[in-house]
């Protein structure tokens, strides 16, 4: 169990969050598989946005971004192909119902390959394996759409993890995604965020990693980019 510590702004490129949620409430849902630790979003919004700015999350899952925006008094539009709550708008992240240059900041935590099943929606990018080039083609459409809706000289954050599967091996999703991001945005920084995935602690996984000569995913990338 992670200990709840006071929220602090991170000053290095290695972030370790003290708990999935901060304070006495939850941000997003603890019952949603693949929810973003709210601490990550809090740190980004505190650094890169101001009161009343419009924040967009095009793949908002359980609504962590919406709840952090509410705490920080930011306006927010949360979209998802399979909305989990009533305050989200059903939309495809590749074609958002927003005019260009509207958002003051965009945060996105996309599916990393097909490791989790988010919904039955045909258009869910989480149905595409990262081994298939189509995954990166569709993610490039999401990145292009983020570029369209973001105001010039504003920032975005993309949170992603590499993939390892026993049968198909390693896919460096982070490096590939960063290369796509750089086609549209100026890189500001790359943060490594410690993962606290429960399966990392399980002894059978540790044993499998040692015996199978592979590594368990210990960190996520957080790419911070700027629209010029
Ligand atoms: C890793 S989860 C996001 C987690 C979220 N940040 C949270 O804290 O709960 C990825 C989300 O992407 C959504 N998604 C997948 N394909 C999509 C698409 N084409 N358009 C919009 N959302 C999509 C899934 O439904 C899922 O909710």
């Amino acid at each position: 169990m992670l200990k709840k510590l006071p929220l602090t702004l991170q000053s290095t490129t290695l972030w370790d969050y003290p708990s999935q949620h901060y304070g006495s409430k939850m941000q997003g849902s603890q019952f949603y598989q693949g929810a973003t630790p709210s601490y990550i979003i809090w740190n980004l919004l505190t650094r890169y946005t101001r009161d009343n700015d419009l924040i967009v999350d095009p793949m908002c899952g359980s609504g962590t971004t919406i709840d952090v925006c509410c705490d920080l008094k930011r306006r927010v539009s949360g979209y998802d192909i399979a909305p989990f709550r009533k305050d989200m708008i059903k939309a495809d992240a590749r074609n958002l119902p927003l005019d260009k240059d509207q958002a003051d900041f965009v945060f996105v935590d996309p599916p990393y390959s097909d490791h989790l099943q988010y919904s039955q929606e045909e258009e869910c990018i989480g149905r595409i394996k990262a081994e298939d080039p189509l995954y990166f083609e569709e993610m490039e459409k999401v990145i292009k759409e983020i570029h369209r809706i973001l105001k010039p000289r504003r920032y975005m954050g993309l949170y992603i993890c590499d993939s390892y599967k026993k049968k198909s091996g390693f896919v460096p999703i982070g490096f590939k995604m960063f290369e796509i991001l750089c086609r549209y945005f100026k890189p500001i920084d790359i943060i490594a965020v410690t993962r606290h995935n429960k399966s990392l602690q399980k002894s059978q996984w540790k044993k499998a990693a040692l015996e199978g000569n592979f590594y368990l995913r210990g960190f996520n990338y957080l790419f911070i980019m700027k629209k010029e």
Side-chain angles (χ1 to χ4, degrees):
M1 176 70 101
L2 294 170
K3 215 173 138 204
K4 282 201 178 180
L5 295 172
L7 282 162
T8 40
L9 268 177
Q10 295 288 318
S11 54
T12 77
T13 54
L14 180 61
W15 293 10
D16 192 0
Y17 54 94
S19 55
Q20 178 76 17
H21 307 277
Y22 57 75
S24 53
K25 292 185 289 177
M26 269 200 302
Q27 298 81 37
S29 171
Q30 69 183 63
F31 306 109
Y32 190 91
Q33 258 203 312
T36 315
S38 53
Y39 192 82
I40 312 297
I41 302 172
W42 183 91
N43 253 276
L44 288 171
L45 298 189
T46 305
R47 244 189 205 252
Y48 295 107
T49 69
R50 297 181 285 258
D51 271 15
N52 231 26
D53 273 359
L54 176 66
I55 318 303
V56 173
D57 187 335
M59 298 177 138
C60 71
S62 68
T64 312
T65 305
I66 298 178
D67 295 339
V68 177
C69 285
C70 188
D71 289 345
L72 290 176
K73 301 194 171 33
R74 282 21 169 193
R75 291 177 297 133
V76 61
S77 291
Y79 303 94
D80 203 283
I81 202 75
F84 183 74
R85 301 190 328 208
K86 288 201 173 105
D87 55 357
M88 298 170 183
I89 302 160
K90 182 173 171 68
D92 192 319
R94 293 161 286 193
N95 183 20
L96 296 170
L98 260 182
D99 288 340
K100 69 177 185 114
D101 301 346
Q102 293 296 306
D104 294 290
F105 188 89
V106 177
F107 175 76
V108 66
D109 177 0
Y112 326 145
S113 190
D114 61 347
H115 293 284
L116 297 177
Q117 193 186 13
Y118 293 105
S119 68
Q120 299 298 329
E121 292 288 337
E122 282 289 315
E123 301 307 318
C124 178
I125 291 175
R127 295 168 75 107
I128 313 172
K129 295 180 193 328
E131 298 90 298
D132 183 344
L134 182 67
Y135 171 77
F136 293 99
E137 285 165 27
E138 297 311 310
M139 278 307 303
E140 177 158 6
K141 292 179 190 165
V142 174
I143 289 166
K144 199 172 170 189
E145 186 65 348
I146 292 173
H147 185 268
R148 186 185 70 79
I149 61 156
L150 191 63
K151 288 179 183 167
R153 294 181 298 284
R154 290 305 199 133
Y155 297 83
M156 60 92 61
L158 185 143
Y159 189 63
I160 196 91
C161 189
D162 292 327
S163 169
Y164 176 83
K165 286 181 194 159
K166 210 172 170 191
K167 278 194 183 148
S168 47
F170 175 63
V171 183
I173 300 182
F175 276 28
K176 290 190 181 199
M177 204 69 80
F178 185 66
E179 192 268 316
I180 298 171
L181 281 165
C182 290
R183 292 178 201 160
Y184 298 87
F185 297 95
K186 177 185 168 188
I188 296 301
D189 223 318
I190 300 178
I191 311 292
V193 182
T194 305
R195 296 188 89 209
H196 289 285
N197 195 319
K198 282 190 197 118
S199 60
L200 292 178
Q201 310 307 328
K202 287 186 183 157
S203 57
Q204 71 264 35
W205 276 107
K206 286 187 184 172
K207 195 165 167 256
L210 293 174
E211 286 175 0
N213 204 12
F214 65 89
Y215 294 99
L216 301 170
R217 303 292 101 210
F219 72 95
N220 272 34
Y221 297 93
L222 174 63
F223 298 124
I224 303 174
M225 314 295 291
K226 185 177 184 182
K227 176 170 170 177
E228 292 199 291

